[in-house]
């Protein structure tokens, strides 16, 4: 499973990189970015889902 | 003000300055959600108020049908005197696409988490210093003596204006906040000493560049050109107007909540790691900011006959209490794990200062409860709430328990 952020939807609300700093980071404009290729382990999956559930813009996607 | 009639029915005659709305708007919004999800008023020249999360969300993201050229509701329809879209008076908050993205890109780097997080020691020192000033008192006014001074102190520091000018700076902030909706000709006169001081600071920064927001704004380039001094001044005014009442309100509301919810206070004192999650619930439950939009053209929208230049009151605080979007929406749950609140807005106008606001809230609360782990409202009925589009406690006497 992989996580990605849709850059068209992301407005820099900042929830993902606060909740899951190991999975998400921010760029120079404060937009959320996925660290590496976004592959999730069993341990990181739960945090990624929590970040997804806190994104007001619904910009986080977790896919096969 | 006393001759304005009280509202009898908020569905057909809403008024965000009505005493009932100012004192406790939440039951009004819940009632509207159940029987009239988009309320109307003839006040202010005519406008609409969506009370649901879905309604607020849809309009916030719809820049085809709504413009941001005025985001604060005035006494009548804005008319032709208003500066036209897409730039507006205070870009980017009053800008529409496509100019909006250009103006926003200019300021976002200064408010991204990197530079903002670096302010933590300065903010902590400021908060601790304010608390030193009330040391030993039995009653502390957490509104007028604490929360109120934090945002202007932080912004003064960010701008790199001299510390010894703090009183002068506060006076200028007062002039700007009070005068922002005065008629243009009055505002020009009132702002003269403010502008003279800001220009002197800018000139000093041009002569002696340093690592602060003023030097950043003076050096940043828009299409290969540095900004004119007036543009830099205008941006500074926006930062002051947008960043002071709002964060002051958010800090004040959180202290007000903790003062009459001792279990939540005890949890924060005993579980410091809970603070970031609690901050999000404070933001959801007591979201201070409501923005406005204008209808771009006559249309039928959400079943309502909207006319060009009708106001839209975009109630992010109402959206945050919608039970369709939030489980137990009317309960404050300090460890609420899933919280898609919209306190900072939605879409392209997401509050550019959100990272700063959160940092100020966190440090202000951490320092307050570290100094005063137990406190209560000294006079619950004496607490006053700011009217209009920014909601938060102003007079907030707190009794320190020892």
């Amino acid at each position: 499973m992989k996580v990605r952020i849709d850059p068209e939807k992301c407005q820099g609300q900042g929830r993902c990189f606060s909740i899951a700093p190991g999975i998400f980071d921010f760029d120079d404009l404060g937009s959320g970015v996925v660290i590496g290729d976004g592959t999730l382990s069993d341990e990181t999956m739960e945090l990624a889902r929590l970040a997804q559930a806190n994104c007001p813009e619904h910009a986080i996607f977790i896919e096969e | 003000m006393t001759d304005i009639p009280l509202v009898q029915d908020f569905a057909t005659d809403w008024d965000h300055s009505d005493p009932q709305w100012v004192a406790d708007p939440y039951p009004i919004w819940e009632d509207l959600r159940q029987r009239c999800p988009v309320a109307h008023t003839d006040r202010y020249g005519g406008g609409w108020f969506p009370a649901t999360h879905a309604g607020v969300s849809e309009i916030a993201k719809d820049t085809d049908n709504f413009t941001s050229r005025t985001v604060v509701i005035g006494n009548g329809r804005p008319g032709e005197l208003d500066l036209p879209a897409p730039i507006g008076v205070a870009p980017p908050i009053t800008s529409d696409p496509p100019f909006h993205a250009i103006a926003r890109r200019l300021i976002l780097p200064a408010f991204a988490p990197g530079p903002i997080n670096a302010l933590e020691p300065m903010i902590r020192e400021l908060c601790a210093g304010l608390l030193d000033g009330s040391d030993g008192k039995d009653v502390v006014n957490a509104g007028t003596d604490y929360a109120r001074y934090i945002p202007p102190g932080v912004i003064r520091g960010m701008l790199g204006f001299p510390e010894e000018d703090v009183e002068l700076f506060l006076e200028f902030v007062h002039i700007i906040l009070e005068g922002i909706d005065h008629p243009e000709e009055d505002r020009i006169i009132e702002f003269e000493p403010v502008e003279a001081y800001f220009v002197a600071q800018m000139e000093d920064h041009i002569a002696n560049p340093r690592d602060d927001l003023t030097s950043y704004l003076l050096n940043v380039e828009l299409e290969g050109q540095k900004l004119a001094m007036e543009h830099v001044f205008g941006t500074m005014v926006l930062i002051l107007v947008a960043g002071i009442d709002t964060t002051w309100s958010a800090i004040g509301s959180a202290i007000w909540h903790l003062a009459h919810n001792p279990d939540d206070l005890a949890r924060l004192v005993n579980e410091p790691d809970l603070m970031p999650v609690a901050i999000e619930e404070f933001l959801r439950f007591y979201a201070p900011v409501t923005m406005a939009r204008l209808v771009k053209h006559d249309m039928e929208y959400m079943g309502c006959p909207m006319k060009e230049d009708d106001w839209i009151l975009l109630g992010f605080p109402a959206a945050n209490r919608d039970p369709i979007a939030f489980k137990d929406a009317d309960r404050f749950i300090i460890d609420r794990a899933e919280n898609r609140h919209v306190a900072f807005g939605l879409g392209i106008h997401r509050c550019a200062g959100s990272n700063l606001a959160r940092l100020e809230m966190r440090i202000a609360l951490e320092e307050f409860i570290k100094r005063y782990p137990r406190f209560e409202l000294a006079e619950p009925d004496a607490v006053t709430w700011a009217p209009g589009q920014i909601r938060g406690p102003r007079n907030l006497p707190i009794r320190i328990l020892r």
Side-chain angles (χ1 to χ4, degrees), chain B residues 17-343:
Chain B
S17 290
D18 185 83
Q20 194 187 335
W21 181 304
V22 173
D24 188 11
Y26 307 107
I28 298 171
W29 300 339
E30 184 52 34
D31 172 55
L32 290 177
R33 274 191 289 270
Q34 287 177 21
R35 68 189 177 93
C36 181
V38 186
H40 182 258
T41 191
D42 286 324
R43 300 183 189 218
Y44 308 102
W48 306 90
F49 173 75
T52 62
H53 183 281
V56 168
S57 178
E58 186 174 336
I59 294 177
K61 292 176 182 176
D62 185 348
T63 55
D64 292 330
N65 289 310
F66 303 93
T67 167
S68 283
R69 80 172 197 273
T70 304
V71 290
V72 180
I73 292 184
N75 275 326
R77 297 175 84 79
E80 290 167 4
L81 286 175
D82 247 54
L83 283 178
I87 299 174
V89 184
I93 198 169
T94 57
S95 310
D96 291 334
F99 178 80
H100 167 270
I102 299 166
R104 187 169 168 88
R105 224 191 135 77
L106 216 60
I107 60 166
L108 280 183
F111 290 91
I116 292 303
N117 291 341
L119 299 170
E120 176 158 347
M122 184 266 282
I123 302 174
R124 208 170 279 288
E125 193 182 335
L126 170 75
C127 293
L130 289 168
L131 292 168
D132 288 344
S134 59
D135 247 1
K137 289 184 183 170
D138 291 329
V139 174
V140 173
N141 199 314
T144 54
D145 292 341
Y146 185 61
R148 178 189 179 189
Y149 285 104
I150 296 167
V154 171
I155 294 174
R156 184 205 57 74
M158 286 179 78
L159 290 171
F161 288 10
E163 198 157 359
E164 59 268 27
D165 290 352
V166 64
E167 289 300 325
L168 193 63
F169 185 76
L170 286 169
E171 188 188 320
F172 290 155
V173 165
H174 180 75
I175 292 173
I176 290 173
L177 293 182
E178 293 295 306
I180 198 70
D181 58 353
H182 291 176
E184 169 96 24
E185 57 273 24
D186 295 356
R187 198 173 61 223
I188 289 170
I189 296 166
E190 290 163 0
F191 277 25
E192 259 172 24
V194 184
E195 197 165 354
Y197 176 80
F198 277 64
V199 167
Q201 291 300 326
M202 283 187 258
E203 283 168 349
D204 185 55
H205 276 77
I206 292 168
N208 309 290
R210 50 209 108 141
D211 183 18
D212 59 28
L213 187 54
T214 302
S215 285
Y216 171 81
L217 291 171
L218 287 166
N219 287 308
V220 74
E221 290 185 356
L222 184 60
E223 290 168 352
Q225 299 268 331
K226 286 189 180 175
L227 306 179
M229 296 262 271
E230 303 85 73
H231 188 152
V232 174
F233 177 66
T235 304
M236 287 172 166
V237 169
L238 169 62
I239 289 166
L240 290 168
V241 171
I244 290 182
D245 277 18
T246 50
T247 312
W248 165 16
S249 297
I251 295 168
S253 293
I255 295 175
W256 180 75
H257 175 91
L258 294 174
H260 65 282
N261 289 278
D263 294 348
D264 285 341
L265 175 57
R267 276 202 72 183
L268 278 186
V269 170
N270 295 324
E271 300 170 53
D273 291 348
L274 190 58
M275 187 61 91
V277 176
I279 294 282
E280 301 306 325
E281 182 68 345
F282 285 127
L283 284 165
R284 182 188 74 85
F285 208 73
Y286 300 106
V289 182
T290 295
M291 281 286 138
R293 297 286 187 271
L294 287 167
V295 174
K296 266 193 187 170
H297 39 247
D298 293 4
M299 60 180 170
E300 176 101 359
Y301 198 92
M302 297 177 180
C304 300
M306 297 187 178
K307 300 274 180 247
E308 183 179 347
D309 280 354
D310 278 355
W311 297 105
I312 300 286
L313 188 61
L314 210 46
F316 299 114
N320 280 348
R321 297 288 194 110
D322 186 344
I324 292 183
F326 299 92
K327 193 166 175 254
D328 295 322
D330 259 331
R331 271 183 61 215
F332 182 95
I333 301 173
I334 198 163
D335 54 2
R336 187 183 285 272
E338 296 188 5
N339 192 345
R340 276 196 173 114
H341 73 79
V342 294

Side-chain angles (χ1 to χ4, degrees), chain A residues 11-13 15 17 26 28-30 50 52-58, chain B residues 105 109 112-114 280 337-341 345-348 350 358:
Chain A
Q11 302 291 346
Q13 296 266 2
R15 304 299 301 283
F17 52 77
F26 49 83
D28 289 347
L29 298 177
L50 188 62
Q52 183 183 40
N54 278 278
C55 176
E57 308 285 354
H58 297 262
Chain B
R105 224 191 135 77
E280 301 306 325
E338 296 188 5
N339 192 345
R340 276 196 173 114
H341 73 79
L346 275 173
I348 64 168
R350 185 269 304 170
R358 283 194 172 97

